[in-house]
Amino acid sequence: MLKEPVNISLEEYSALEDYLDGNLSGDALSAFENRLKEEALWKEKLSQVMILREGIERVAMKSQLEEFHQGLASKQSQHRFLNTRWIWTAAASLFIVITAGVGFWSGWFDSSSERLFTAYYAKDPGLTSMMSDSEDYEFDRGMIEYKSGEYAKSLEFWKPLLDLSPKNDTLLYFVAMDYLQLESLDEGKLLLEQVILDGNSLFVQDANWYLGLIKIKEHKYQEAIFYLNASDRDEAEGLISKLQEMEE
Amino acid sequence: MPKDIFKSLSQDEITQAICLNDALVLRQIYEDGFPKVRKFVQANHGNEDEAKDIYQEAFLVLWQNVKKGAFIPTNQSAVQGYLYQVAKNKWLDWVRSSRFKRDRKQEDSFFLNQASEPVGESMEDKYEQVEHALSKLGSDCQELLKSFYFLKKSMEEMATTFGWTTQTVKNNKYRCMEKLRKFVLQK
């Protein structure tokens, strides 16, 4: 490959790249493939363009990997710095000073709940295939926004649908997910409660999980345990143990 | 970058992100996978630099195999498992090779460029020729070709970036490719 000084015209480049990009179909694809079988020179041209393209992409990727590595090395050095003994000693002293201050217990209480919530909360990944009626398109658009992290935009698609179908459990659940991502926990909580009341919804267990997490944030640990028990998450057991320890 | 980026991506989206060289996804894969490979290499007669080289080789294998459809990643764990296995095998091949033993005796830092399969090795040579030829191109050509083939920008996007018409973009891209091809053939 790349052994013969063949000429490749601009038109030929376009045709070869269309093939490599998968832009040919039907008769055009068959004609291209027949030509490849019949003309060794055409095949050589294709190989040359293909290797150039792959080579360019690979060079750029290697350079990208170097950048990733430098970023990683810089993170590691920061991490090592934070791990040095003196800074931990200083941090420990500072901690003692701060904790001796007013409001220690309430502060600790808040941060424990917050820490647990943050540690266990992960965004629902969303759906890939949707409902089966004419609302599909709008729902899908909302789901694309949700997956892209555009929760307010996602609500713009889903809220009108929910107004039309206030008992639709899929909408109730995902609008709640939007609210959770937007940290509007009260709104999210109300919708999740409706999903749970439905009883037959496929989202009941997930709704229980997220409602449990919201209750942790509200320091209502007994209620949190109740909801977490009703979820099907593997992590629920460990989380419940931690809550029980905090209660003691 | 959020740690749960993979949780929000379906199997197809992970594959597509890798094929389109999505920097966010690739960086996360890179950063998540390196510590484990480094630990393995260091525990098996290697050092940090060698771990980096072998890891980047393995990363390229992962990337190329996803693009070819030879490996279909189902989730982040599958990606990491594959990456680790390729890196581990490459390192074990290297440690078993006579070159490794010779280099160790001479305390030579020369390293790698060794693929596990003979087919990969010959392709590697061709890619190196392209790499060498690419460095001889002017910066505009390098930028143009990188934007097309790595960043996957469209003719229209390129026209906006460079302030050209789409036909000029097409012509200039052709000229750059031809220059590159000639440099490779001259070698």
Side-chain angles (χ1 to χ4, degrees):
Chain A
M1 241 98 45
L2 293 190
K3 58 187 181 239
E4 291 178 44
V6 294
N7 287 320
I8 305 178
S9 70
L10 177 59
E11 290 69 30
E12 286 177 323
Y13 254 112
S14 297
L16 293 164
E17 297 215 272
D18 276 344
Y19 175 73
L20 290 171
D21 290 334
N23 294 336
L24 299 183
S25 59
D27 290 347
L29 181 61
S30 305
F32 190 98
E33 285 174 342
N34 284 336
R35 192 173 173 193
L36 278 183
K37 280 181 205 154
E38 289 160 9
E39 289 180 38
L41 190 57
W42 188 237
K43 196 173 173 182
E44 171 64 20
K45 288 178 182 180
L46 178 68
S47 295
Q48 292 195 6
V49 173
M50 192 172 74
I51 288 168
L52 290 180
R53 284 163 51 116
E54 287 177 0
I56 294 163
E57 203 178 353
R58 197 178 157 94
V59 169
M61 177 56 85
K62 282 167 84 173
S63 142
Q64 179 102 85
L65 295 184
E66 280 301 321
E67 275 178 39
F68 291 166
H69 204 86
Q70 280 169 17
L72 192 62
S74 126
K75 275 186 194 170
Q76 280 168 352
S77 63
Q78 270 180 348
H79 185 68
R80 270 197 292 274
F81 175 75
L82 288 171
N83 273 323
T84 50
R85 196 172 177 165
W86 72 267
I87 200 141
W88 282 113
T89 310
S93 309
L94 191 62
F95 182 71
I96 291 164
V97 171
I98 291 168
T99 52
V102 180
F104 163 69
W105 286 109
S106 63
W108 177 84
F109 198 67
D110 282 340
S111 69
S112 299
S113 304
E114 192 65 45
R115 228 177 13 248
L116 272 185
F117 179 87
T118 310
Y120 283 87
Y121 177 80
K123 172 188 168 182
D124 186 296
L127 300 181
T128 47
S129 59
M130 305 303 141
M131 301 181 290
S132 57
D133 53 33
S134 59
E135 291 160 353
D136 269 9
Y137 178 72
E138 291 295 297
F139 188 85
D140 286 356
R141 291 282 307 275
M143 188 55 77
I144 289 166
E145 298 294 352
Y146 173 81
K147 286 186 170 186
S148 310
E150 298 288 346
Y151 307 111
K153 286 187 189 168
S154 167
L155 276 180
E156 287 173 18
F157 287 101
W158 287 346
K159 279 291 293 297
L161 295 179
L162 186 60
D163 291 337
L164 290 172
S165 315
K167 290 192 174 172
N168 183 304
D169 61 330
T170 307
L171 284 166
L172 284 167
Y173 178 76
F174 279 105
V175 171
M177 292 300 103
D178 267 335
Y179 281 129
L180 261 59
Q181 288 298 122
L182 292 167
E183 297 184 23
S184 302
L185 300 187
D186 286 338
E187 284 91 332
K189 193 167 65 176
L190 287 172
L191 298 170
L192 290 172
E193 282 167 352
Q194 290 184 58
V195 175
I196 293 168
L197 279 175
D198 179 338
N200 295 320
S201 169
L202 289 171
F203 298 100
V204 165
Q205 288 170 325
D206 287 324
N208 272 300
W209 169 254
Y210 286 109
L211 203 47
L213 292 180
I214 293 171
K215 294 291 177 187
I216 291 174
K217 217 170 180 182
E218 293 174 344
H219 317 305
K220 295 174 179 169
Y221 297 152
Q222 281 306 322
E223 286 183 52
I225 290 169
F226 170 80
Y227 287 114
L228 294 173
N229 262 324
S231 79
D232 60 346
R233 301 291 179 115
D234 293 340
E235 315 93 293
E237 200 179 329
L239 180 52
I240 289 169
S241 302
K242 286 177 187 168
L243 291 173
Q244 284 167 339
E245 281 170 21
M246 285 166 73
E247 283 281 86
E248 283 166 6
Chain B
M1 181 176 40
K3 265 285 178 191
D4 68 344
I5 188 166
F6 280 89
K7 286 188 181 173
S8 62
L9 296 178
S10 67
Q11 178 179 315
D12 286 347
E13 285 167 336
I14 294 174
T15 304
Q16 203 187 17
I18 294 172
C19 291
L20 292 176
N21 307 324
D22 183 312
L24 273 180
V25 171
L26 293 173
R27 184 188 288 275
Q28 171 130 20
I29 295 172
Y30 190 94
E31 291 186 350
D32 288 352
F34 182 65
K36 197 174 169 192
V37 170
R38 178 178 53 199
K39 194 174 170 191
F40 175 80
V41 170
Q42 287 179 335
N44 288 279
H45 319 290
N47 59 36
E48 172 107 21
D49 287 344
E50 288 168 332
K52 176 195 159 195
D53 288 340
I54 206 90
Y55 183 63
Q56 294 196 345
E57 289 284 329
F59 199 96
L60 289 173
V61 170
L62 164 80
W63 172 64
Q64 282 183 325
N65 283 344
V66 171
K67 274 152 47 91
K68 281 192 292 186
F71 169 60
I72 299 168
T74 46
N75 52 43
Q76 162 75 331
S77 303
V79 171
Q80 289 303 334
Y82 188 82
L83 191 52
Y84 178 69
Q85 200 57 40
V86 173
K88 189 174 148 188
N89 289 346
K90 275 182 169 285
W91 179 250
L92 292 177
D93 278 354
W94 171 244
V95 169
R96 285 192 202 107
S97 72
S98 55
R99 207 157 129 203
F100 169 79
K101 286 163 192 154
R102 197 169 59 242
D103 286 353
R104 288 285 136 171
K105 274 182 196 162
Q106 293 169 353
E107 293 184 348
D108 187 351
S109 64
F110 173 81
F111 184 69
L112 285 179
N113 272 337
Q114 162 159 318
S116 303
E117 299 142 27
V119 178
E121 206 163 44
S122 73
M123 284 305 286
E124 183 68 30
D125 291 342
K126 285 168 192 145
Y127 294 140
E128 276 182 16
Q129 285 175 30
V130 177
E131 185 169 359
H132 181 68
L134 198 63
S135 67
K136 292 184 188 170
L137 285 183
S139 57
D140 277 356
C141 264
Q142 288 188 27
E143 188 62 31
L144 185 68
L145 296 179
K146 183 187 165 188
S147 298
F148 262 109
Y149 296 113
F150 184 70
L151 300 175
K152 314 285 182 193
K153 290 195 174 170
S154 67
M155 289 277 181
E156 289 73 22
E157 285 174 299
M158 294 301 298
T160 310
T161 307
F162 284 86
W164 297 335
T165 64
T166 50
Q167 189 56 45
T168 310
V169 175
K170 199 172 175 183
N171 291 340
N172 286 347
K173 182 182 144 229
Y174 171 67
R175 287 192 198 106
C176 293
M177 283 292 269
E178 276 295 270
K179 262 193 212 169
L180 179 66
R181 198 166 67 89
K182 287 196 174 91
F183 283 143
V184 175
L185 289 166
Q186 274 168 14
K187 195 168 184 278

